[in-house]
Amino acid sequence: MKFLLLILLVIFSNISFANITLEKLEEYDKFHRQYAVLSISNEIVLDDAKAFQDAMNTINTEGLHVKYDSVIIDNSIGGNLVTAKKISRIIRKNKLSTWVPKDKYCISACLYVFVGGICRMGQGKIGIHRGFSSYSFNRRRTLEDVRDSTDSSFNNDIKFFDEMNTRTSIVSIINQIPYWTKKVLSHDEKLEYGFYSTIEEFELERIEEVSMNTGKSKDELMASLVDRYHEINYTKPPNKLKQFLTDRFGIEFKKEDPKYLKCSEQLFLTDAH
């Protein structure tokens, strides 16, 4: 009997739903909730929306605390767009953030999952291109049919990104990149699209809540975020060799991209709060 229980414990401590993984950790927050890592990897397939909802049901039923308060995107090449949008909406409904770690990537339809976070942290590579449907390619269509289809897809994407509080101009860029290649968003592009920060309405909602619970003023809380940003982006002393080469030969060196507060810090979700 003990052996059977041990087997069951091993099985359910690391629950995997296709490309959706929920891993329970032997770590607990200050409210004694068990931490669990929720991640998405590889290709997004049709059944993944149900798998993701099953994972969320486990989290909510067992009162688990999602580690980093974020869905981790662990090298996803995209896949089924309809499924990606469903997962995105589940993430938003549960007020989770999304995180592409700096050594990971999120490509194609994965972007649609990523924007579902109330805070999006895109440290890794985010690649975009227009969609490809084998169903559409395998049937005969007139030019008018093709135009109707592309117009419908474009308008649906505009509505989706607007729903997800993301600048809809990204749809035009997506549709300019052929499906057989990709464009990797630069640091500045990710910053402009809000892929390093919390969506404003959720930021303000959270600040109101924390202010009420802690007695700290909203100005004080905002100032703490500013202080934290400067703390992790302290000014380093100049490199004398690089300075010499710039002054003497006009050689320009790439500046380091700034670091950003983790989503859990931006939302005051650390154990300190």
Side-chain angles (χ1 to χ4, degrees):
M1 185 64 179
K2 288 183 178 179
F3 181 69
L4 177 60
L5 289 173
L6 180 61
I7 292 175
L8 291 173
L9 181 62
V10 171
I11 291 173
F12 288 104
S13 65
N14 192 336
I15 306 170
S16 181
F17 307 94
N19 300 298
I20 313 299
T21 301
L22 177 64
E23 179 185 4
K24 297 179 185 178
L25 306 176
E26 289 304 316
E27 300 175 26
Y28 299 83
D29 66 14
K30 67 177 183 180
F31 299 110
H32 309 293
R33 295 177 300 173
Q34 186 175 10
Y35 279 112
V37 174
L38 179 59
S39 62
I40 298 176
S41 60
N42 303 316
E43 183 179 3
I44 300 166
V45 297
L46 192 62
D47 293 337
D48 281 348
K50 181 182 182 305
F52 192 85
Q53 184 61 65
D54 288 344
M56 285 307 312
N57 291 343
T58 299
I59 289 166
N60 294 328
T61 300
E62 298 186 15
L64 303 175
H65 185 163
V66 177
K67 187 77 170 176
Y68 314 112
D69 302 287
S70 300
V71 178
I72 299 173
I73 297 177
D74 184 11
N75 295 340
S76 173
I77 59 172
N80 188 289
L81 185 58
V82 174
T83 300
K85 289 181 178 181
K86 288 180 179 179
I87 293 173
S88 187
R89 290 185 171 108
I90 296 170
I91 291 171
R92 180 61 59 88
K93 181 179 179 181
N94 286 274
K95 292 188 176 181
L96 287 172
S97 300
T98 48
W99 177 30
V100 185
K102 64 181 180 180
D103 57 343
K104 305 296 183 180
Y105 56 79
C106 173
I107 308 296
S108 188
C110 174
L111 171 69
Y112 293 73
V113 173
F114 176 70
V115 297
I118 64 170
C119 172
R120 288 83 66 99
M121 185 53 56
Q123 294 173 318
K125 292 182 179 179
I126 297 178
I128 59 175
H129 62 189
R130 60 177 173 249
F132 167 79
S133 169
S134 58
Y135 169 75
S136 297
F137 273 57
N138 289 334
R139 62 191 181 96
R140 296 181 64 86
R141 296 187 296 174
T142 65
L143 180 57
E144 185 177 354
D145 289 337
V146 172
R147 285 174 175 165
D148 288 344
S149 177
T150 54
D151 286 348
S152 176
S153 295
F154 184 86
N155 291 329
N156 286 338
D157 278 358
I158 290 288
K159 291 177 182 177
F160 173 77
F161 282 103
D162 185 56
E163 175 189 345
M164 292 298 151
N165 310 86
T166 303
R167 283 173 51 195
T168 56
S169 59
I170 199 168
V171 179
S172 295
I173 301 175
I174 289 171
N175 281 276
Q176 292 298 318
I177 312 300
Y179 70 86
W180 39 263
T181 185
K182 67 179 180 294
K183 169 184 170 59
V184 176
L185 298 182
S186 68
H187 164 269
D188 288 350
E189 287 169 327
K190 289 190 285 186
L191 181 63
E192 290 169 3
Y193 280 110
F195 294 168
Y196 290 115
S197 57
T198 303
I199 294 168
E200 184 178 22
E201 65 184 72
F202 294 103
E203 177 184 65
L204 297 177
E205 177 187 49
R206 182 62 183 152
I207 285 176
E208 289 282 355
E209 182 180 357
V210 175
S211 178
M212 290 180 61
N213 291 340
T214 64
K216 295 180 179 179
S217 71
K218 288 175 278 188
D219 286 344
E220 185 180 356
L221 292 171
M222 272 296 196
S224 71
L225 296 181
V226 175
D227 291 343
R228 177 60 179 151
Y229 177 78
H230 288 297
E231 179 185 346
I232 61 178
N233 288 286
Y234 62 91
T235 303
K236 297 179 181 178
N239 183 298
K240 293 183 179 180
L241 176 59
K242 288 184 178 180
Q243 190 65 53
F244 169 77
L245 292 173
T246 298
D247 294 342
R248 185 71 176 81
F249 302 105
I251 299 174
E252 295 292 336
F253 294 89
K254 185 181 182 298
K255 294 182 179 179
E256 290 185 11
D257 293 331
K259 298 180 178 68
Y260 297 97
L261 279 68
K262 298 173 183 176
C263 284
S264 54
E265 292 180 301
Q266 294 185 36
L267 289 162
F268 303 97
L269 291 170
T270 61
D271 277 353
H273 297 92

